[in-house]
Amino acid sequence: MSAKNAFYAQSGGVTAVINASACGVIETARAHPDQIGTVYAGANGILGALHETLIDTAEESAQTIAALRHTPAGAFGSARYKLKGLEENRAEYARLIEVFRAHDIGYFFYNGGGDSQDTAHKVSQLGESMGYPMTCIGIPKTVDNDLPITDTCPGFGSVAKYIAIATREAGLDVASMAQTSTKVFILETMGRHAGWIAAASALAKDTESDPPHVVLLPEVPLDQTAFLARVKDSVERFGYCVVVVSEGVRTAAGQFLSDQGTVDAFGHVQLGGVAPTVANMIKTALGYKYHYAIADYLQRAGRHIASATDVEQAYALGKAAVELALAGRNAIMPTIVRDSDSPYRWHVGETPLESVANVEAKMPADFIDESGFFVTEACLRYLRPLIAGEDYPPYRDGLPDYARIRGHRVARRLPAFGD
Amino acid sequence: MSAKNAFYAQSGGVTAVINASACGVIETARAHPDQIGTVYAGANGILGALHETLIDTAEESAQTIAALRHTPAGAFGSARYKLKGLEENRAEYARLIEVFRAHDIGYFFYNGGGDSQDTAHKVSQLGESMGYPMTCIGIPKTVDNDLPITDTCPGFGSVAKYIAIATREAGLDVASMAQTSTKVFILETMGRHAGWIAAASALAKDTESDPPHVVLLPEVPLDQTAFLARVKDSVERFGYCVVVVSEGVRTAAGQFLSDQGTVDAFGHVQLGGVAPTVANMIKTALGYKYHYAIADYLQRAGRHIASATDVEQAYALGKAAVELALAGRNAIMPTIVRDSDSPYRWHVGETPLESVANVEAKMPADFIDESGFFVTEACLRYLRPLIAGEDYPPYRDGLPDYARIRGHRVARRLPAFGD
């Protein structure tokens, strides 16, 4: 019996280190040619399986695969595409199995967030019932850090580091100009439902007068009066105020502070522009001159300043996914298990896919201080090791030299799918 | 005769490397104790001289001064404060001379843009006429790169590198998601009158399909029809489009694009931000899903990824300012003179302050291509060496370890100034 091939796909919003997980999967698979044939990557994630557009990673050099470790975003393409439930949409799941069978694929590695772990779980169930049992392993990924059970999610540590550095640097800028210019600076971060990313800005604060002075989290409905009082206090005491605001902050009535009214494929409302809303609030009530930054994709693609810890964990989880599959484990996701905060120690654990599918981990209540405008020492203790270490990419002509894949397509063996 | 003291002040918008110039000034002055006594830094720039709030840099350790080389923003405080003309406002200039005389200051080093060079020039004229001749040397600084004569301005190379990296990284993010998500990404950069910063994004492009696909410069009035056609073409050919837009872009009628109060889906006025204006334009005409980032202060404070060339030049100009002063030169500004593009060679030259005061250097016409939506190879040849090399700051606990000055104030010798 020849070794089965593997399918690897990237899912959802990409990160600075999801390719490091891809690197871990492919390098580890290559080290076991007796057990795994070729790793096929889905072009544009799961769409690559549905449409049988498979990228033959065997055509990529060892150098290119190694360079994925320092390359941000999704080298094979990712997709915001959520498969519906098995009952509503059996055809799509059946198609996946059909494509996997046609290409002798026995391993399914799905690199994404909660939705993706759910999909991986369903594929494992359906393969069984269709007489084509597969080994399905999820690999966690999300800048939002909102997966349960795993201590953290690859992608988060790097965006946390990016935001903490941005807060420190822009804070120094504002501090040095505040007497005659900008008094309030607002940095808008990602984080729809969980405030982890905005919370990470607090790592930049060493002394009371340091930025950030206010952190607005989605977990805490905005009390506008208390917020404005805090901004005023900061300007009066320190000469300036740095506010870090999560895009998902809501009013007491539960409305997003800024809601563009468009919805993505997962049914999530597309957010943006909470910074100008907050700026306007401050300008109107207090009259301070303000500036704001919206980091948007810069924060999650910022591989140039990735956390070394994050890169290491992203790689380790990709590697573990393959090793667990080869050890006969199925329908699980490798996790990060924290052994100690300081010195930071961790190891790779595992959890059943169904335990993480569609569960959203918000910040624990004891990570947010009584005012609701800052995080606690417990939160900082949790966050600190996640941004530790720098893992600089190589540079060429002053710019990071990121991997470019050849992207060789595997010949189709099936008719086209769908309409 | 004892050695005269020196006054050093930072002026206008701060940069990632203005403290490297301060480091160059102070370290070089310390190396010549026989010729220069103490370097006093103005607290909040020139306001420090007007209000006699002087920081005694002799109270800072050699380690702290050395650390200024890797610390962004203005360690002594900067100011947006332009002295008026000599005729309108002789009192302020007379006060400066009075403070300098009271503290036995014989050297005036003013680190800023065109306005500051003008001020330094006037101080040199007035000192002469008031019987207190001073040595006045300007040190160039501006992220806008809009000073004449000098080949480039310290601060620009680092912001150029930041924007080029951001374009490459966010571009990879968008490329990997475009099939099912964002198709157009807009990055707003600084640059009110000159397009240098937005132009630097073009360094990220290696092949035709690479981002950026469109660069909007203040030098080119926006032709909306041609712009939208270009965006559509990029999305159709490459699957996505990255637009880099300078904050100073204007309509054909000469209006700032950011001045056109746009309204979001809920009727709220969108404040500032040329990026949302461009995004709405694209959404309305073409219907593409978009995201935008506004880098704001993050770009000019981004010392974590400063250009090594820029840091070296910032330091060299601070050092040269002191050396030129000691050599008896006066009312001049040291400049960067380019000897060759590739390999990049440069040396420090000098120019009279009056030649740079209040002159704005825009991008030359032959740096912008015929379409008006991109730069030429001549422009890239000019820009390329300016972002070369990385000069990473030291890190502690995952964050850049930036200098904190003690900021010891010199005892006042004069009554308070003004009201």
Side-chain angles (χ1 to χ4, degrees), chain A residues 56-199:
Chain A
D56 186 352
T57 70
E59 298 284 330
E60 308 294 339
S61 69
Q63 288 83 347
T64 299
I65 298 303
L68 289 178
R69 189 176 165 123
H70 64 247
T71 300
F76 305 104
S78 186
R80 287 208 183 280
Y81 187 86
K82 182 175 175 160
L83 277 76
K84 297 203 191 88
L86 262 177
E87 294 69 30
E88 305 150 75
N89 195 13
R90 200 176 174 88
E92 279 191 337
Y93 290 94
R95 167 69 176 188
L96 291 182
I97 302 295
E98 190 186 12
V99 169
F100 293 155
R101 196 196 298 259
H103 293 275
D104 202 25
I105 290 165
Y107 303 95
F108 176 41
F109 298 109
Y110 205 23
N111 202 170
D115 290 342
S116 309
Q117 309 308 328
D118 182 50
T119 299
H121 184 230
K122 293 207 175 84
V123 168
S124 114
Q125 290 177 307
L126 197 71
E128 198 78 46
S129 80
M130 284 178 68
Y132 190 77
M134 297 194 46
T135 300
C136 297
I137 313 279
I139 305 167
K141 170 245 61 166
T142 161
V143 293
D144 291 329
N145 203 37
D146 60 358
L147 288 181
I149 302 168
T150 185
D151 181 65
T152 186
C153 304
F156 172 66
S158 293
V159 76
K161 188 180 183 92
Y162 179 100
I163 290 296
I165 292 175
T167 301
R168 174 165 290 182
E169 291 184 333
L172 285 172
D173 187 307
V174 180
S176 53
M177 305 285 301
Q179 178 139 341
T180 55
S181 185
T182 300
K183 292 220 171 1
V184 177
F185 176 72
I186 300 143
L187 173 60
E188 176 179 325
T189 73
M190 288 179 158
R192 237 182 220 96
H193 302 296
W196 293 111
I197 299 177

Side-chain angles (χ1 to χ4, degrees), chain B residues 247-376:
Chain B
E247 64 177 338
V249 167
R250 290 164 189 260
T251 63
Q255 217 189 356
F256 280 122
L257 221 59
S258 52
D259 280 351
Q260 299 180 321
T262 58
V263 165
D264 69 14
F266 289 78
H268 304 136
V269 174
Q270 295 244 359
L271 298 168
V274 66
T277 306
V278 170
N280 278 349
M281 198 182 282
I282 292 169
K283 179 76 181 171
T284 305
L286 304 171
Y288 296 133
K289 182 169 176 348
Y290 63 80
H291 258 242
Y292 60 80
I294 301 178
D296 199 62
Y297 294 153
L298 275 52
Q299 69 199 287
R300 76 180 190 192
R303 181 61 184 82
H304 73 274
I305 195 54
S307 151
T309 303
D310 192 29
V311 174
E312 195 186 334
Q313 293 181 339
Y315 185 91
L317 290 169
K319 180 168 186 269
V322 175
E323 290 173 343
L324 287 164
L326 296 182
R329 309 286 298 130
N330 193 6
I332 56 157
M333 180 186 88
T335 60
I336 301 296
V337 180
R338 183 182 297 223
D339 300 316
S340 72
D341 289 328
S342 178
Y344 181 52
R345 290 206 186 90
W346 57 276
H347 69 272
V348 173
E350 62 173 82
T351 190
L353 286 174
E354 55 197 310
S355 71
V356 284
N358 297 318
V359 181
E360 213 168 57
K362 296 199 177 191
M363 289 178 64
D366 70 341
F367 276 22
I368 303 170
D369 80 3
E370 280 185 16
S371 74
F373 295 119
F374 211 75
V375 301
T376 60

Side-chain angles (χ1 to χ4, degrees), chain A residues 12-14 44 47 71-74 77-80 161-162 164-166 168-170 172-174 176-177 179-182 185 187 203-204 206-207 210 259-262 264 270 273 276 280 290-298 300-305 387-390 392-393 395-402 404, chain B residues 12-14 44 47 71-74 77-81 161-162 164-166 168-170 172-174 176-177 179-182 185 187 203-204 206-207 210 265-266 270-273 283 289-298 300-305 387-390 392-393 395-402 404:
Chain A
V14 292
N44 301 306
L47 296 179
T71 300
S78 186
R80 287 208 183 280
K161 188 180 183 92
Y162 179 100
I165 292 175
R168 174 165 290 182
E169 291 184 333
L172 285 172
D173 187 307
V174 180
S176 53
M177 305 285 301
Q179 178 139 341
T180 55
S181 185
T182 300
F185 176 72
L187 173 60
L203 292 167
D206 280 340
T207 70
D210 286 344
D259 181 347
Q260 291 190 336
T262 56
D264 73 10
Q270 188 186 345
N280 194 26
Y290 64 80
H291 258 242
Y292 60 81
I294 301 178
D296 198 63
Y297 294 153
L298 275 53
R300 75 179 192 194
R303 180 62 184 82
H304 72 275
I305 194 56
I387 69 162
E390 294 68 55
Y392 299 119
Y395 277 69
R396 186 168 48 82
D397 295 335
L399 284 161
D401 192 13
Y402 292 136
R404 282 183 199 262
Chain B
V14 293
N44 301 304
L47 296 179
T71 300
S78 185
R80 288 208 183 281
Y81 188 86
K161 187 180 184 91
Y162 179 99
I165 291 175
R168 174 166 290 181
E169 292 184 333
L172 285 172
D173 188 308
V174 180
S176 53
M177 305 285 300
Q179 177 139 344
T180 56
S181 185
T182 301
F185 176 71
L187 173 60
L203 292 167
D206 279 341
T207 69
D210 287 343
F266 289 78
Q270 295 244 359
L271 298 168
K283 179 76 181 171
K289 182 169 176 348
Y290 63 80
H291 258 242
Y292 60 80
I294 301 178
D296 199 62
Y297 294 153
L298 275 52
R300 76 180 190 192
R303 181 61 184 82
H304 73 274
I305 195 54
I387 69 162
E390 295 67 55
Y392 298 119
Y395 277 69
R396 185 169 50 82
D397 295 335
L399 284 161
D401 192 12
Y402 293 136
R404 282 183 200 262

